[in-house]
Protein backbone atom coordinates (compact mmCIF):
# COMPACT_ATOMS: atom_id res chain seq x y z
CA UNK A 1 0.00 0.00 0.00
CA UNK A 2 1.23 3.50 -0.75
CA UNK A 3 1.87 5.51 2.40
CA UNK A 4 -1.24 7.42 3.51
CA UNK A 5 -0.87 11.15 3.13
CA UNK A 6 -3.14 12.04 6.01
CA UNK A 7 -4.17 10.45 9.28
CA UNK A 8 -7.82 10.24 8.21
CA UNK A 9 -6.79 8.31 5.06
CA UNK A 10 -4.66 5.96 7.14
CA UNK A 11 -7.60 5.42 9.51
CA UNK A 12 -9.97 4.59 6.65
CA UNK A 13 -7.49 2.12 5.16
CA UNK A 14 -7.46 0.20 8.47
CA UNK A 15 -11.28 0.25 8.62
CA UNK A 16 -11.46 -1.04 5.05
CA UNK A 17 -9.10 -3.97 5.74
CA UNK A 18 -11.10 -7.15 6.45
CA UNK A 19 -8.33 -9.48 7.60
CA UNK A 20 -7.17 -9.03 11.20
CA UNK A 21 -3.49 -9.43 10.29
CA UNK A 22 -3.84 -6.70 7.69
CA UNK A 23 -5.62 -4.44 10.21
CA UNK A 24 -2.72 -5.00 12.61
CA UNK A 25 -0.05 -4.36 9.99
CA UNK A 26 -1.73 -1.16 8.75
CA UNK A 27 -2.30 0.04 12.32
CA UNK A 28 1.34 -0.43 13.30
CA UNK A 29 2.54 1.29 10.12
CA UNK A 30 0.16 4.24 10.49
CA UNK A 31 0.94 4.84 14.14
CA UNK A 32 4.69 4.62 13.51
CA UNK A 33 4.37 7.09 10.61
CA UNK A 34 2.24 9.47 12.70
CA UNK A 35 4.63 9.35 15.62
CA UNK A 36 7.63 9.93 13.35
CA UNK A 37 5.95 12.99 11.83
CA UNK A 38 5.69 11.33 8.41
CA UNK A 39 1.93 12.03 8.11
CA UNK A 40 1.16 15.56 7.06
CA UNK A 41 -2.02 16.25 8.98
CA UNK A 42 -5.52 15.01 9.82
CA UNK A 43 -6.95 15.56 6.34
CA UNK A 44 -10.38 14.32 5.39
CA UNK A 45 -11.63 10.85 4.46
CA UNK A 46 -15.02 9.20 4.91
CA UNK A 47 -15.06 6.17 7.20
CA UNK A 48 -17.30 3.27 6.16
CA UNK A 49 -20.53 2.82 8.12
CA UNK A 50 -19.19 -0.55 9.23
CA UNK A 51 -15.56 -1.63 9.18
CA UNK A 52 -14.63 -4.55 6.95
CA UNK A 53 -14.39 -7.84 8.86
CA UNK A 54 -13.34 -11.39 8.04
CA UNK A 55 -16.01 -13.98 7.09
CA UNK A 56 -15.45 -15.69 10.44
CA UNK A 57 -16.55 -15.28 13.20
CA UNK A 58 -20.24 -15.21 12.39
CA UNK A 59 -22.08 -12.52 14.31
CA UNK A 60 -25.01 -13.62 16.47
CA UNK A 61 -27.20 -12.03 19.18
CA UNK A 62 -25.28 -11.66 22.48
CA UNK A 63 -27.16 -14.49 24.21
CA UNK A 64 -26.01 -16.96 21.54
CA UNK A 65 -22.33 -16.33 22.18
CA UNK A 66 -20.97 -19.42 23.97
CA UNK A 67 -20.05 -18.87 27.59
CA UNK A 68 -18.48 -21.70 29.50
CA UNK A 69 -16.99 -22.21 32.88
CA UNK A 70 -13.33 -21.17 33.18
CA UNK A 71 -11.46 -24.25 34.33
CA UNK A 72 -8.70 -26.70 33.53
CA UNK A 73 -10.51 -27.91 30.42
CA UNK A 74 -9.48 -25.46 27.68
CA UNK A 75 -13.01 -24.94 26.25
CA UNK A 76 -14.07 -22.25 28.72
CA UNK A 77 -10.77 -20.42 28.49
CA UNK A 78 -10.88 -20.52 24.69
CA UNK A 79 -14.41 -19.07 24.73
CA UNK A 80 -13.26 -16.26 27.04
CA UNK A 81 -10.12 -15.43 25.04
CA UNK A 82 -12.10 -15.56 21.80
CA UNK A 83 -14.70 -13.10 23.14
CA UNK A 84 -11.92 -10.78 24.30
CA UNK A 85 -10.07 -11.02 20.98
CA UNK A 86 -13.30 -9.99 19.26
CA UNK A 87 -13.62 -6.98 21.58
CA UNK A 88 -10.03 -5.96 20.84
CA UNK A 89 -10.55 -6.23 17.08
CA UNK A 90 -13.58 -3.96 17.44
CA UNK A 91 -11.53 -1.63 19.63
CA UNK A 92 -8.92 -1.20 16.85
CA UNK A 93 -11.70 -0.10 14.50
CA UNK A 94 -13.31 2.10 17.16
CA UNK A 95 -10.08 4.05 17.67
CA UNK A 96 -9.63 4.62 13.93
CA UNK A 97 -13.32 5.41 13.44
CA UNK A 98 -13.05 8.07 16.15
CA UNK A 99 -10.10 9.65 14.33
CA UNK A 100 -11.59 9.48 10.82
CA UNK A 101 -15.17 10.36 11.72
CA UNK A 102 -14.59 13.18 14.16
CA UNK A 103 -11.06 14.43 13.51
CA UNK A 104 -11.79 16.34 10.31
CA UNK A 105 -15.23 17.46 11.47
CA UNK A 106 -14.22 18.88 14.80
CA UNK A 107 -11.65 21.35 13.62
CA UNK A 108 -13.68 24.16 15.15
CA UNK A 109 -13.24 22.45 18.52
CA UNK A 110 -9.53 22.92 17.86
CA UNK A 111 -8.61 19.34 18.66
CA UNK A 112 -4.91 19.50 19.45
CA UNK A 113 -2.31 17.10 18.12
CA UNK A 114 -2.30 15.41 21.55
CA UNK A 115 -5.87 14.19 20.88
CA UNK A 116 -4.69 12.28 17.80
CA UNK A 117 -1.53 11.11 19.59
CA UNK A 118 -3.72 9.54 22.27
CA UNK A 119 -6.10 7.70 19.92
CA UNK A 120 -3.24 6.49 17.74
CA UNK A 121 -1.62 5.05 20.84
CA UNK A 122 -4.95 3.43 21.79
CA UNK A 123 -5.23 1.90 18.30
CA UNK A 124 -1.70 0.51 18.60
CA UNK A 125 -2.46 -0.93 22.06
CA UNK A 126 -5.68 -2.59 20.83
CA UNK A 127 -3.82 -4.12 17.89
CA UNK A 128 -1.20 -5.52 20.26
CA UNK A 129 -3.94 -6.83 22.58
CA UNK A 130 -5.62 -8.61 19.68
CA UNK A 131 -2.27 -10.05 18.64
CA UNK A 132 -1.51 -11.40 22.12
CA UNK A 133 -4.96 -12.98 22.50
CA UNK A 134 -4.98 -14.58 19.08
CA UNK A 135 -1.47 -15.98 19.64
CA UNK A 136 -2.67 -17.46 22.94
CA UNK A 137 -5.73 -18.95 21.21
CA UNK A 138 -3.27 -20.59 18.82
CA UNK A 139 -1.31 -22.10 21.71
CA UNK A 140 -4.58 -23.59 22.98
CA UNK A 141 -5.31 -25.13 19.57
CA UNK A 142 -7.93 -22.54 18.55
CA UNK A 143 -8.07 -19.42 16.41
CA UNK A 144 -9.99 -16.18 16.19
CA UNK A 145 -13.04 -16.91 14.04
CA UNK A 146 -13.66 -20.39 15.46
CA UNK A 147 -16.61 -19.30 17.63
CA UNK A 148 -19.53 -16.96 17.02
CA UNK A 149 -19.29 -13.41 18.36
CA UNK A 150 -21.70 -10.51 18.80
CA UNK A 151 -21.87 -7.04 17.34
CA UNK A 152 -22.71 -5.04 20.46
CA UNK A 153 -19.65 -2.81 20.25
CA UNK A 154 -20.32 -1.71 16.73
CA UNK A 155 -23.96 -1.03 17.67
CA UNK A 156 -22.62 1.42 20.26
CA UNK A 157 -20.46 3.02 17.58
CA UNK A 158 -23.46 3.43 15.29
CA UNK A 159 -25.58 4.93 18.05
CA UNK A 160 -22.95 7.61 18.64
CA UNK A 161 -21.78 8.28 15.07
CA UNK A 162 -23.23 11.78 15.07
CA UNK A 163 -21.56 13.23 18.13
CA UNK A 164 -17.99 12.99 19.43
CA UNK A 165 -19.02 13.79 22.99
CA UNK A 166 -21.59 10.96 22.89
CA UNK A 167 -18.99 8.56 21.42
CA UNK A 168 -16.57 9.33 24.25
CA UNK A 169 -19.35 9.13 26.84
CA UNK A 170 -20.32 5.62 25.74
CA UNK A 171 -17.24 3.87 24.30
CA UNK A 172 -14.38 4.64 26.67
CA UNK A 173 -16.44 5.88 29.61
CA UNK A 174 -19.12 3.17 29.74
CA UNK A 175 -17.83 0.17 27.78
CA UNK A 176 -14.09 0.29 28.38
CA UNK A 177 -14.70 1.33 32.00
CA UNK A 178 -16.91 -1.77 32.33
CA UNK A 179 -13.93 -3.78 31.12
CA UNK A 180 -11.97 -2.47 34.12
CA UNK A 181 -14.76 -3.69 36.41
CA UNK A 182 -14.84 -7.26 35.10
CA UNK A 183 -11.23 -8.03 34.13
CA UNK A 184 -9.79 -8.66 37.63
CA UNK A 185 -12.39 -11.42 38.16
CA UNK A 186 -11.38 -13.06 34.87
CA UNK A 187 -7.69 -12.88 35.82
CA UNK A 188 -8.50 -14.52 39.14
CA UNK A 189 -10.34 -17.38 37.41
CA UNK A 190 -7.47 -17.92 34.98
CA UNK A 191 -4.99 -18.12 37.87
CA UNK A 192 -7.24 -20.64 39.58
CA UNK A 193 -7.37 -22.68 36.39
CA UNK A 194 -3.56 -22.66 36.35
CA UNK A 195 -3.43 -20.71 33.07
CA UNK A 196 -0.70 -18.23 33.96
CA UNK A 197 0.01 -17.35 30.33
CA UNK A 198 -3.56 -16.16 29.70
CA UNK A 199 -3.72 -14.43 33.11
CA UNK A 200 -0.52 -12.54 32.27
CA UNK A 201 -1.96 -11.31 28.98
CA UNK A 202 -5.11 -10.05 30.72
CA UNK A 203 -2.99 -8.28 33.33
CA UNK A 204 -1.14 -6.37 30.59
CA UNK A 205 -4.41 -5.50 28.85
CA UNK A 206 -5.99 -4.39 32.13
CA UNK A 207 -3.11 -2.00 32.92
CA UNK A 208 -3.21 -0.46 29.46
CA UNK A 209 -6.99 -0.17 29.36
CA UNK A 210 -6.82 2.15 32.40
CA UNK A 211 -4.96 4.59 30.15
CA UNK A 212 -7.66 4.30 27.46
CA UNK A 213 -10.40 5.20 29.93
CA UNK A 214 -8.17 8.03 31.17
CA UNK A 215 -7.87 9.35 27.59
CA UNK A 216 -11.66 9.21 27.26
CA UNK A 217 -12.08 11.10 30.51
CA UNK A 218 -9.49 13.73 29.57
CA UNK A 219 -10.90 14.50 26.12
CA UNK A 220 -14.49 14.38 27.34
CA UNK A 221 -13.61 17.06 29.90
CA UNK A 222 -11.68 19.06 27.29
CA UNK A 223 -14.65 19.11 24.89
CA UNK A 224 -17.13 19.92 27.66
CA UNK A 225 -15.00 22.86 28.68
CA UNK A 226 -15.02 24.15 25.12
CA UNK A 227 -18.82 23.94 25.10
CA UNK A 228 -19.25 25.42 28.56
CA UNK A 229 -20.82 22.20 29.88
CA UNK A 230 -20.33 20.54 33.24
CA UNK A 231 -18.75 17.11 32.48
CA UNK A 232 -20.66 15.08 35.09
CA UNK A 233 -24.13 16.19 34.06
CA UNK A 234 -23.21 16.12 30.35
CA UNK A 235 -22.01 12.50 30.69
CA UNK A 236 -25.19 11.40 32.45
CA UNK A 237 -27.41 13.06 29.85
CA UNK A 238 -25.47 11.50 26.94
CA UNK A 239 -25.43 8.01 28.48
CA UNK A 240 -29.17 8.17 29.15
CA UNK A 241 -29.79 9.18 25.57
CA UNK A 242 -27.32 7.00 23.65
CA UNK A 243 -26.67 3.89 25.74
CA UNK A 244 -29.33 1.19 25.94
CA UNK A 245 -27.69 -1.02 28.56
CA UNK A 246 -27.19 -0.47 32.25
CA UNK A 247 -24.34 1.26 34.05
CA UNK A 248 -24.26 -1.03 37.02
CA UNK A 249 -22.10 -2.14 39.93
CA UNK A 250 -19.94 -3.74 41.09
CA UNK A 251 -17.59 -0.95 40.00
CA UNK A 252 -13.82 -1.21 40.22
CA UNK A 253 -13.46 2.11 42.02
CA UNK A 254 -9.69 1.83 42.30
CA UNK A 255 -9.12 1.39 38.55
CA UNK A 256 -11.81 3.92 37.68
CA UNK A 257 -10.22 6.48 39.99
CA UNK A 258 -6.81 5.74 38.45
CA UNK A 259 -8.42 6.64 35.10
CA UNK A 260 -9.71 9.92 36.53
CA UNK A 261 -13.35 8.85 36.90
CA UNK A 262 -15.41 10.09 39.78
CA UNK A 263 -17.68 7.69 41.76
CA UNK A 264 -20.05 10.60 42.33
CA UNK A 265 -20.63 10.70 38.57
CA UNK A 266 -20.78 7.04 37.48
CA UNK A 267 -22.53 5.98 40.71
CA UNK A 268 -25.44 8.22 39.75
CA UNK A 269 -27.13 5.49 37.72
CA UNK A 270 -27.28 3.19 40.70
CA UNK A 271 -28.29 5.79 43.25
CA UNK A 272 -24.75 5.61 44.67
CA UNK A 273 -23.66 8.98 43.37
CA UNK A 274 -25.07 12.45 43.68
FE1 LIG B 1 -7.62 -3.43 24.44
FE1 LIG C 1 -9.04 -0.06 25.02
Amino acid sequence: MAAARTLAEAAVSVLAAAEPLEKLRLTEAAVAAWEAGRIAGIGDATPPERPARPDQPVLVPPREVPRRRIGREPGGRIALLHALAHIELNAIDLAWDLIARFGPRETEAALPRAFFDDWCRVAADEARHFGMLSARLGELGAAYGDLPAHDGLWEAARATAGDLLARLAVVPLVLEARGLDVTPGMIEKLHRAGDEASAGILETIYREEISHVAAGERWFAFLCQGQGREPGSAWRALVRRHFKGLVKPPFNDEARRAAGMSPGVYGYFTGLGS
Side-chain angles (χ1 to χ4, degrees):
M1 184 198 86
R5 279 163 301 156
T6 68
L7 192 61
E9 277 177 27
V12 168
S13 71
V14 176
L15 292 163
E19 287 309 313
L21 287 179
E22 184 67 355
K23 258 189 217 300
L24 263 56
R25 193 185 68 74
L26 290 171
T27 294
E28 280 165 20
V31 173
W34 174 254
E35 289 179 346
R38 282 187 275 114
I39 291 182
I42 308 311
D44 200 353
T46 307
E49 201 181 314
R50 299 182 58 82
R53 289 291 166 73
D55 296 337
Q56 305 287 334
V58 286
L59 300 178
V60 296
R63 64 181 184 293
E64 291 173 28
V65 174
R67 259 186 217 92
R68 290 164 59 183
R69 213 178 62 79
I70 309 298
R72 300 220 167 244
E73 290 298 311
R77 287 178 284 132
I78 287 170
L80 172 68
L81 297 172
H82 191 280
L84 295 175
H86 183 69
I87 290 171
E88 299 291 353
L89 192 69
N90 272 273
I92 300 168
D93 286 327
L94 283 165
W96 290 118
D97 186 80
L98 182 82
I99 287 170
R101 189 171 303 278
F102 301 107
R105 211 197 281 178
E106 300 281 335
T107 41
E108 74 273 25
L111 289 170
R113 184 181 166 99
F115 175 90
F116 299 97
D117 290 346
D118 273 356
W119 298 110
C120 278
R121 186 182 47 78
V122 168
D125 285 352
E126 310 299 18
R128 200 160 24 77
H129 297 169
F130 177 85
M132 293 190 296
L133 289 164
S134 70
R136 182 65 190 140
L137 281 170
E139 289 168 2
L140 294 171
Y144 177 67
D146 284 355
L147 298 172
H150 72 78
D151 205 29
L153 272 176
W154 209 260
E155 292 300 320
R158 284 229 291 230
T160 56
D163 180 356
L164 174 55
L165 213 49
R167 174 65 63 85
L168 293 172
V170 172
V171 173
L173 298 180
V174 172
L175 300 173
E176 290 195 286
R178 178 86 190 131
L180 300 182
D181 299 336
V182 299
T183 307
M186 296 172 183
I187 293 171
E188 179 61 40
K189 283 184 186 160
L190 289 167
H191 279 307
R192 254 186 274 141
D195 188 342
E196 298 306 318
S198 299
I201 290 168
L202 264 66
E203 276 159 9
T204 300
I205 291 175
Y206 174 68
R207 260 198 320 278
E208 296 182 349
E209 291 298 333
I210 292 176
S211 77
H212 302 179
V213 177
E217 191 67 29
R218 187 159 59 245
W219 293 109
F220 188 81
F222 173 88
L223 290 161
C224 281
Q225 195 181 26
Q227 297 177 17
R229 299 174 72 175
E230 194 279 307
S233 56
W235 181 74
R236 289 170 197 157
L238 289 163
V239 170
R240 236 183 271 125
R241 179 143 159 237
H242 295 279
F243 182 65
K244 300 283 168 272
L246 293 170
V247 177
K248 59 176 196 300
F251 297 118
N252 181 343
D253 291 317
E254 191 189 330
R256 284 170 174 260
R257 271 187 214 275
M261 297 189 93
S262 157
V265 174
Y266 60 75
Y268 164 84
F269 286 101
T270 57
L272 300 172
S274 48

